[in-house]
Amino acid sequence: MDLGENLLFFFSALGAFNSFLLGGYLFFFGKEKPLFQYLLASLLLLLSIRAGVSCVYFFGEIPKGLVKLGMAANLLLGLVTYFLVRFQLSKSDRKKRYLQRSLVVQVFLLIGSLIVLAIAFDFWVWDFNIRYTLHTFLTIYLVAAGVQFFYYKRQNSVEGAGLWEAFGGRDLEVFIIYLGVVSICFGFAVSLFISYILGPLLFSFFFYAFTMLVFRRRKQQSKDKSYRTKLDQAEVNVVVEKLQDLMEQEKIFKDPTLTMERVCKRLGVSRHFLSQMLNDNMKLSYSELVSYYRIEEACQMLLNHTHYNLEAIAYEVGFNSKSSFYTAFKKLKGITPSQYRSKKKHSNPVS
């Protein structure tokens, strides 16, 4: 290999090695050990194994057992990515307990299948026949994880809120992880036709980029936390009053294109100030605040404008779709809009 190839190999192998160390640390020595942390650690370990095998394959000769190990890691990679996404996006404890049981069952089934394949078939059969089946399962898991993000965004994001406000920092981080895994797996696929170092190279790039992103975010959170005591309460009271006036008198929440930036401009404060003020004084995020006012307005319309259908009410109060209106309403009130209208109608009959 020439100097350029040596540098590419070194960068790729270093990323795989550091990922293996970080995954091992999270798995065995992390302070908190929820399922999410175990899944993230497993993802890092599997990626490091897959990238490491590709680095060895870059030299040309590779033991048959390592090829099987790389393919097994590829299959389990899809499973772990899918459950990492599902676990993060599932907010109820009941769903998380169901996911834990489902994960255990699927892990045992997949590992059992891999053991049978490893014993029953030799290297060449694995390489040219079973490999494509394993890649198909990987693709199915990754597509299923992407579908989960699509529906989560559709049902939970509030119009006018950015990704960070709509989903929260951890959700966005997991989305970036998902995009990284998809890109890395794509790199492994096309590396067969370009260079086998492409997959590990992409992995190392995403590993270091994501590590820097998380580090910067944690550092900013630390700065924000130290800044919390600096908000002047008198100024907060004035801004809260202005905000209530915008929402209750002007009803700016009815604008489906309302953004946090526009609200900040009307209030004359920064995004950080508004975010901290909402968290400290109202215990709400920006998206939750907008959703609250839209649902409260919808409740009034459900009772006072019985000739309006539910879709018309949804658009009137600022939602861009009937489905997002239903989801936000049930999340806040515990029942659907139609159930709310029916319940209030029967509890307050017209004499």
Side-chain angles (χ1 to χ4, degrees):
M1 292 188 296
D2 58 26
L3 179 60
E5 290 180 330
N6 282 326
L7 290 175
L8 291 177
F9 172 79
F10 175 77
F11 180 73
S12 303
L14 186 63
F17 178 72
N18 287 332
S19 174
F20 187 83
L21 291 180
L22 180 58
Y25 173 80
L26 290 175
F27 200 93
F28 295 105
F29 304 107
K31 294 181 180 179
E32 299 178 1
K33 294 187 177 181
L35 180 59
F36 178 87
Q37 181 172 305
Y38 282 124
L39 288 170
L40 180 59
S42 299
L43 183 66
L44 289 170
L45 291 172
L46 290 169
L47 281 169
S48 63
I49 292 172
R50 183 67 181 85
V53 170
S54 295
C55 287
V56 176
Y57 197 74
F58 187 56
F59 285 104
E61 294 295 330
I62 183 172
K64 297 177 182 179
L66 278 181
V67 174
K68 292 183 177 182
L69 180 63
M71 288 189 222
N74 224 30
L75 175 61
L76 293 174
L77 182 61
L79 174 72
V80 171
T81 302
Y82 172 74
F83 275 95
L84 181 74
V85 171
R86 284 290 307 276
F87 188 80
Q88 176 59 30
L89 299 185
S90 299
K91 303 307 179 183
S92 71
D93 293 335
R94 183 178 179 181
K95 281 188 177 180
K96 289 183 177 181
R97 287 194 294 268
Y98 166 77
L99 287 172
Q100 290 176 1
R101 293 191 294 268
S102 180
L103 174 62
V104 171
V105 172
Q106 292 195 44
V107 166
F108 274 106
L109 287 175
L110 287 180
I111 291 180
S113 300
L114 289 170
I115 292 174
V116 171
L117 290 173
I119 296 174
F121 297 96
D122 62 22
F123 163 71
W124 294 109
V125 176
W126 255 61
D127 192 33
F128 293 108
N129 293 300
I130 297 176
R131 177 179 67 183
Y132 300 106
T133 302
L134 300 183
H135 286 178
T136 299
F137 276 102
L138 168 65
T139 303
I140 291 172
Y141 276 122
L142 292 181
V143 170
V147 170
Q148 292 297 318
F149 273 114
F150 173 77
Y151 280 110
Y152 183 82
K153 180 181 183 299
R154 185 176 181 180
Q155 294 177 3
N156 293 276
S157 63
V158 174
E159 290 82 3
L163 279 176
W164 212 267
E165 292 82 18
F167 300 109
R170 173 66 67 82
D171 293 341
L172 189 56
E173 288 176 2
V174 172
F175 181 64
I176 295 172
I177 291 174
Y178 168 73
L179 292 179
V181 172
V182 171
S183 301
I184 292 164
C185 291
F186 178 77
F188 282 127
V190 300
S191 64
L192 295 171
F193 309 98
I194 303 176
S195 172
Y196 221 70
I197 202 64
L198 179 61
L201 194 62
L202 278 174
F203 168 64
S204 293
F205 171 78
F206 274 101
F207 173 74
Y208 289 118
F210 181 74
T211 301
M212 291 178 62
L213 174 67
V214 173
F215 176 77
R216 289 184 62 183
R217 184 170 129 70
R218 297 290 186 267
K219 187 176 181 181
Q220 185 61 45
Q221 285 180 333
S222 178
K223 289 182 178 179
D224 292 345
K225 187 175 181 180
S226 64
Y227 179 70
R228 285 186 178 276
T229 57
K230 298 181 180 179
L231 288 186
D232 181 72
Q233 191 57 44
E235 183 182 3
V236 167
N237 293 338
V238 172
V239 175
V240 168
E241 188 174 344
K242 283 184 180 181
L243 180 61
Q244 290 175 338
D245 184 66
L246 288 176
M247 294 296 179
E248 297 171 7
Q249 302 301 321
E250 297 189 33
K251 298 187 177 182
I252 61 173
F253 58 83
K254 288 188 174 184
D255 181 358
T257 64
L258 183 68
T259 62
M260 191 175 185
E261 286 76 9
R262 287 171 58 190
V263 175
C264 290
K265 188 174 182 179
R266 292 289 303 274
L267 296 173
V269 298
S270 65
R271 283 175 59 93
H272 171 76
F273 185 99
L274 178 59
S275 178
Q276 182 177 332
M277 185 195 75
L278 291 175
N279 289 328
D280 292 348
N281 293 271
M282 299 182 178
K283 308 303 179 185
L284 296 170
S285 65
Y286 168 76
S287 60
E288 290 171 336
L289 175 77
V290 175
S291 182
Y292 168 79
Y293 277 106
R294 286 175 177 170
I295 297 303
E296 290 301 312
E297 182 71 13
C299 288
Q300 296 298 319
M301 294 189 68
L302 286 168
L303 301 180
N304 300 327
H305 300 277
T306 54
H307 58 287
Y308 276 36
N309 61 38
L310 299 180
E311 188 171 8
I313 292 176
Y315 289 124
E316 179 66 25
V317 299
F319 288 98
N320 278 330
S321 69
K322 185 178 177 180
S323 61
S324 60
F325 170 55
Y326 263 71
T327 302
F329 195 99
K330 190 170 184 179
K331 183 178 180 181
L332 190 64
K333 297 297 182 180
I335 56 178
T336 65
S338 56
Q339 290 172 335
Y340 180 88
R341 173 178 272 175
S342 177
K343 182 179 179 181
K344 292 296 183 180
K345 182 179 179 180
H346 287 91
S347 63
N348 297 287
V350 178
S351 55

